[in-house]
Amino acid sequence: MINEKLPKIWYGGDYNPEQWEKEDWDEDVRMFKLAGIDVATLNVFSWALIQPDEETYDFEWLDEQIDRLYENGIYTCLATSTAAHPAWMAKKYPDVLRVDYQGRKRKFGGRHNSCPNSPTYRKYAERMADRLGERYKEHPGVLIWHVSNEYGGYCYCDNCADGFRNWLKEKYGSLESLNKAWNTRFWGHTFYEWDEIVPPNELSEEWNGDSTSFQGISLDYRIFQSDSLLECFKIERDVLKKHTPAIPVTTNLMGTYNELDYFKWGREMDVVSWDNYPAYNTPESFTAMRHDLMRGLKSGQPFMLMEQTPSQQNWQPYNSLKRPGVMRLWSYQAVARGADTVMFFQLRRSVGACEKYHGAVIEHVGHENTRVFRETAELGRELTQLSDTLLDARVHAKVAIVFDWENRWATELSSGPSKALDYVNEVHKYYAALFEENIAVDMVGVEEDLSKYDIVFAPVLYMVKSGYADKVRQYVQNGGTFITTFFSGIVNELDLVTTGGYPGELRDILGIWVEEIDALPPEEKNQIVLKKDTGSLAGSYECSLLFDIMHTEGAEVLAEYGSDFYAGTPVITCNSFGQGKAYYVGTCPDQAFLTDFVKTICDEKGVKPLLELPKGVEVTERRKDGRSYFFIMNHNSLKVDFEISEGTDLLTGEELKGITSVEAYGVKIIKR
Ligand code: GLA
Ligand code: ZN
């Protein structure tokens, strides 16, 4: 349980009473109670308010808020306010300001804007966390610490440059090994002094955000910046822990956000939390994958849905409303995949600046007679009714998909073979195929133990980190099924090519040698032609993007290319290795192929869909104390029927058997 003080699914969200008048505060509380809200996140962006100058701290306002909420049965998720530095700090200590990708020194403005290596920022952020910890350590209303907010963005200032050099010294020991790792004899880049190294941005090695002349330095800079921001988190966390060892500490993450290696971050957090903002056209499978990824950061431990909008966003190009029922549906989608909280941004809509048209539980009209409020209150009632039933329940998956941020960075920084290659997209295609089949999936990092899985997919495993090939080898030898794709096994963890034939260290496991890689514009297709029907795979499918031209070295050829000069050569192979099998998908197949392919592999391993359901109906299972909870989520705009052998509707108590139905955008939680 995240905190035993509140043994139910927490319900609430970001609350910014500092932005409106005292008169509204009592109204807020009245409506929170009506909506079943029991947690409010305070102090996210109030640094300038509680520290008006260098020496003055004024917590009175915050005391009053925390007390008032607590007296009304509402707990506080207490943020540390360090996600936006005060203007006076920027003026007095310009080192808190970042230097951007174009090399421009920023001025005061925006948020999430502090240099992570600024001594001033670190000092005052730590001091703020210390004061907050000291002041509220005994307060019964404080449920959890919310450090900063959505860490992200990189800095290229001189402090970061110095920090980077020290970080490199630590990593490589000597310039000699750094020069080797970055292959600096290319384009005459040999470094003789540490201070010759400068951050890679548009003033030096990079352009477009993802293009570089030196992958080595660009990859290291990403790791370094992610580590630097993580260091800022740890500084605050440690000082908070000193005051309140028993109160959990988190910071809100952003799903598949590119710039931070969240597997490293997850290890430092007591509980993972994240902000879920799908657009009207985001596939349900993509949101599901992001929930599973957030659950994967701490090997399946429940996470927090820290933010979602009750109705609409303001920052997307088209901010459609969540249709009636959809807020509830998407809230349960999070719970179904491991969330033990449902929280919003925000509880009341602001009246000024760029988020005034962002959805909120209390809208500008200011009363409870709105669709959004009614839906929020209805969900609040259900979550109160569910009490602690679902807390800590676990998802059990027999299938894993490997996701790795450093691999992603290396793939995307690669110059060639195709600019259309998008790592997250490729991973999502496999995820989507499993999602359609209602197969439970764990999204795992490269540190995860593979032996608990029957099937492991590792799409575009371009970078094979030290020891990982052995891990895969052992997994397959012991009977596991491993699937990888084109552009895998190409480089080691320094992004240096493993010579001797692709896919490098994975070659013996896969029983193939890739001689050449063809890359064509996305609209140009080839075909995957099955040699014979295999499981659900039959006939031919389309493929695009990259096309490996390969030779088998023991693997069986399942399918061949249909056209071009490599027609009739292998494209899909399967190698028996020890007691297991290793499949290779040498191109980017269409979704029809992936659907049939995952079905074939799951059938072969006896991995079954959780339930057979109509299209557009998602199902997950969470288990606790020998009981199973099935979440049936209908993403269709029409009611659908499905069959269930038996079970109890957790919310209505109704006994279910045989044909039952779920409303348009409806959810059923079935206990078995
Ligand atoms: C993020 C931030 C919030 C708010 C919302 C708006 O998640 O953490 O402060 O800006 O976006 O969608
Ligand atoms: Zn900096």
Side-chain angles (χ1 to χ4, degrees):
M1 213 175 287
I2 306 170
N3 187 329
E4 281 165 11
K5 279 187 199 168
L6 185 55
K8 67 173 280 288
I9 296 173
W10 301 359
Y11 195 45
D14 278 40
Y15 178 45
N16 301 303
E18 68 274 27
Q19 289 181 34
W20 39 88
E21 306 304 321
K22 240 181 150 98
E23 299 84 79
D24 296 318
W25 296 350
D26 292 336
E27 263 303 273
D28 289 344
V29 164
R30 183 185 70 81
M31 281 191 271
F32 294 168
K33 286 179 168 173
L34 272 183
I37 282 170
D38 40 43
V39 50
T41 305
L42 285 173
N43 198 38
V44 182
F45 290 108
S46 346
W47 198 348
L49 186 68
I50 53 186
Q51 192 184 357
D53 61 48
E54 204 163 345
E55 295 309 327
T56 318
Y57 288 84
D58 179 3
F59 292 105
E60 249 171 62
W61 161 82
L62 193 54
D63 294 348
E64 192 183 337
Q65 298 299 333
I66 300 175
D67 289 345
R68 192 173 45 83
L69 290 169
Y70 185 65
E71 282 154 17
N72 285 283
I74 298 159
Y75 287 94
T76 295
C77 166
L78 189 49
T80 59
S81 81
T82 53
H85 50 241
W88 62 258
M89 195 182 289
K91 182 175 144 198
K92 188 155 186 200
Y93 300 106
D95 67 288
V96 301
L97 296 165
R98 287 182 182 174
V99 167
D100 70 13
Y101 191 65
Q102 283 73 34
R104 301 172 300 197
K105 178 76 174 169
R106 303 295 304 178
K107 292 189 183 294
F108 176 73
R111 61 170 180 177
H112 305 152
N113 49 1
S114 309
C115 163
N117 289 295
S118 147
T120 307
Y121 175 70
R122 288 190 174 194
K123 174 174 131 190
Y124 285 108
E126 179 177 15
R127 190 179 285 178
M128 176 57 82
D130 193 29
R131 301 273 165 114
L132 287 164
E134 176 64 42
R135 190 162 189 100
Y136 299 110
K137 62 181 176 208
E138 310 286 354
H139 201 296
V142 177
L143 212 48
I144 186 164
W145 293 107
H146 174 304
V147 174
S148 191
N149 189 69
E150 293 191 338
Y151 280 104
Y154 293 165
C155 178
Y156 302 87
C157 75
D158 290 345
N159 279 323
C160 284
D162 280 344
F164 186 43
R165 291 174 198 126
N166 289 333
W167 184 91
L168 291 168
K169 277 181 203 159
E170 183 91 355
K171 175 163 178 175
Y172 294 107
S174 68
L175 275 172
E176 197 187 340
S177 53
L178 175 141
N179 279 315
K180 203 152 185 245
W182 290 357
N183 201 38
T184 53
R185 290 197 179 176
F186 177 79
W187 287 2
H189 270 50
T190 306
F191 296 108
Y192 293 99
E193 305 275 354
W194 289 100
D195 62 4
E196 291 162 8
I197 299 168
V198 296
N201 65 2
E202 272 190 10
L203 296 181
S204 51
E205 304 290 6
E206 290 195 17
W207 64 101
N208 279 345
D210 63 354
S211 301
T212 179
S213 15
F214 269 84
Q215 278 71 22
I217 188 171
S218 291
L219 182 62
D220 272 336
Y221 204 71
R222 279 157 181 72
I223 305 172
F224 163 69
Q225 282 285 317
S226 174
D227 283 0
S228 300
L229 285 161
L230 182 55
E231 194 52 38
C232 293
F233 169 77
K234 285 158 68 178
I235 288 171
E236 289 195 42
R237 179 205 59 193
D238 290 349
V239 76
L240 292 167
K241 281 280 169 201
K242 190 183 76 191
H243 293 294
T244 57
I247 298 182
V249 181
T250 190
T251 181
N252 46 342
L253 310 180
M254 297 175 278
T256 42
Y257 180 70
N258 185 28
E259 293 179 351
L260 304 179
D261 179 352
Y262 280 160
F263 278 102
K264 260 193 194 169
W265 281 68
R267 288 199 281 279
E268 303 296 338
M269 296 160 68
D270 291 323
V271 54
V272 165
S273 64
W274 87 285
D275 302 344
N276 180 32
Y277 290 102
Y280 71 98
N281 59 355
T282 305
E284 289 95 41
S285 56
F286 193 71
T287 306
M289 179 179 88
R290 290 165 35 118
H291 285 308
D292 288 355
L293 181 61
M294 294 297 97
R295 188 183 70 241
L297 300 184
K298 288 190 86 65
S299 300
Q301 189 182 305
F303 60 92
M304 294 176 67
L305 176 62
M306 183 65 91
E307 291 181 25
Q308 63 168 348
T309 176
S311 56
Q312 68 191 148
Q313 273 114 250
N314 67 291
W315 46 266
Q316 290 178 347
Y318 309 103
N319 297 286
S320 62
L321 296 172
K322 288 184 179 170
R323 273 40 208 165
V326 170
M327 182 278 285
R328 174 177 181 267
L329 173 65
W330 291 1
S331 300
Y332 279 125
Q333 188 186 32
V335 175
R337 294 187 174 276
D340 275 358
T341 73
V342 172
M343 292 165 67
F344 299 109
F345 182 89
Q346 49 188 340
L347 296 188
R348 185 191 270 269
R349 243 184 222 222
S350 55
V351 296
C354 69
E355 286 178 344
K356 60 180 173 298
Y357 301 121
H358 194 289
V361 172
I362 304 174
E363 303 193 296
H364 284 149
V365 70
H367 59 57
E368 64 267 38
N369 302 314
T370 65
R371 174 183 74 90
V372 170
F373 191 89
R374 282 190 294 275
E375 289 190 32
T376 309
E378 184 49 40
L379 181 58
R381 265 191 290 285
E382 290 181 4
L383 298 182
T384 303
Q385 186 194 332
L386 288 172
S387 178
D388 65 351
T389 315
L390 295 165
L391 294 189
D392 281 326
R394 298 299 170 117
V395 172
H396 290 261
K398 297 313 282 176
V399 178
I401 297 183
V402 178
F403 192 99
D404 182 50
W405 263 269
E406 288 181 27
N407 176 49
R408 171 188 189 175
W409 294 332
T411 303
E412 288 171 6
L413 286 167
S414 166
S415 177
S418 169
K419 73 168 194 172
L421 176 57
D422 175 331
Y423 177 70
V424 175
N425 226 354
E426 290 309 314
V427 172
H428 175 242
K429 283 176 189 162
Y430 284 82
Y431 184 93
L434 292 154
F435 178 88
E436 289 304 323
E437 284 307 295
N438 285 318
I439 306 276
V441 173
D442 279 347
M443 299 291 297
V444 301
V446 291
E447 308 267 319
E448 195 67 50
D449 168 25
L450 299 179
S451 67
K452 56 187 167 191
Y453 299 107
D454 291 339
I455 306 171
V456 173
F457 290 88
V460 192
L461 189 64
Y462 169 67
M463 170 185 283
V464 175
K465 291 180 170 168
S466 157
Y468 202 66
D470 279 340
K471 193 173 193 168
V472 173
R473 196 168 284 117
Q474 207 170 39
Y475 167 72
V476 181
Q477 236 147 19
N478 293 338
T481 292
F482 177 75
I483 300 98
T484 191
T485 71
F486 65 91
F487 218 46
S488 291
I490 311 275
V491 298
N492 66 11
E493 66 188 18
L494 298 173
D495 203 6
L496 293 171
V497 169
T498 304
T499 52
Y502 314 133
E505 291 186 73
L506 303 174
R507 187 167 159 187
D508 62 313
I509 309 171
L510 294 158
I512 54 160
W513 165 43
V514 174
E515 184 179 338
E516 289 184 278
I517 307 170
D518 196 13
L520 297 172
E523 62 283 3
E524 283 194 37
K525 312 284 179 197
N526 202 315
Q527 301 76 39
I528 297 173
V529 183
L530 264 292
K531 288 189 73 172
K532 61 174 196 306
D533 293 358
T534 313
S536 304
L537 289 163
S540 105
Y541 303 85
E542 285 205 318
C543 58
S544 57
L545 202 71
L546 292 182
F547 311 86
D548 281 348
I549 305 176
M550 60 175 134
H551 309 273
T552 54
E553 296 174 332
E556 182 196 345
V557 180
L558 302 182
E560 298 169 339
Y561 287 110
S563 52
D564 219 319
F565 77 92
Y566 38 90
T569 69
V571 58
I572 313 288
T573 60
C574 174
N575 194 35
S576 296
F577 188 82
Q579 295 165 44
K581 284 184 174 180
Y583 288 85
Y584 190 76
V585 180
T587 183
C588 177
D590 61 14
Q591 211 57 36
F593 173 86
L594 290 177
T595 303
D596 292 347
F597 183 58
V598 305
K599 244 190 255 176
T600 304
I601 288 175
C602 289
D603 276 352
E604 194 178 277
K605 293 294 283 185
V607 175
K608 301 234 170 342
L610 285 165
L611 281 175
E612 300 286 350
L613 289 165
K615 222 180 149 30
V617 184
E618 175 184 354
V619 57
T620 70
E621 182 195 12
R622 284 182 77 174
R623 290 185 207 161
K624 179 180 167 181
D625 302 336
R627 286 197 181 283
S628 253
Y629 300 93
F630 281 78
F631 292 74
I632 316 284
M633 294 163 280
N634 182 11
H635 295 282
N636 300 297
S637 55
L638 289 173
K639 174 170 158 176
V640 297
D641 292 334
F642 65 97
E643 206 176 326
I644 176 124
S645 56
E646 61 173 332
T648 314
D649 185 319
L650 195 59
L651 288 166
T652 64
E654 190 191 340
E655 292 300 328
L656 306 171
K657 202 178 172 82
I659 303 289
T660 175
S661 62
V662 55
E663 296 301 320
Y665 302 126
V667 178
K668 270 206 156 83
I669 310 173
I670 301 175
K671 181 167 88 175
R672 302 221 282 186

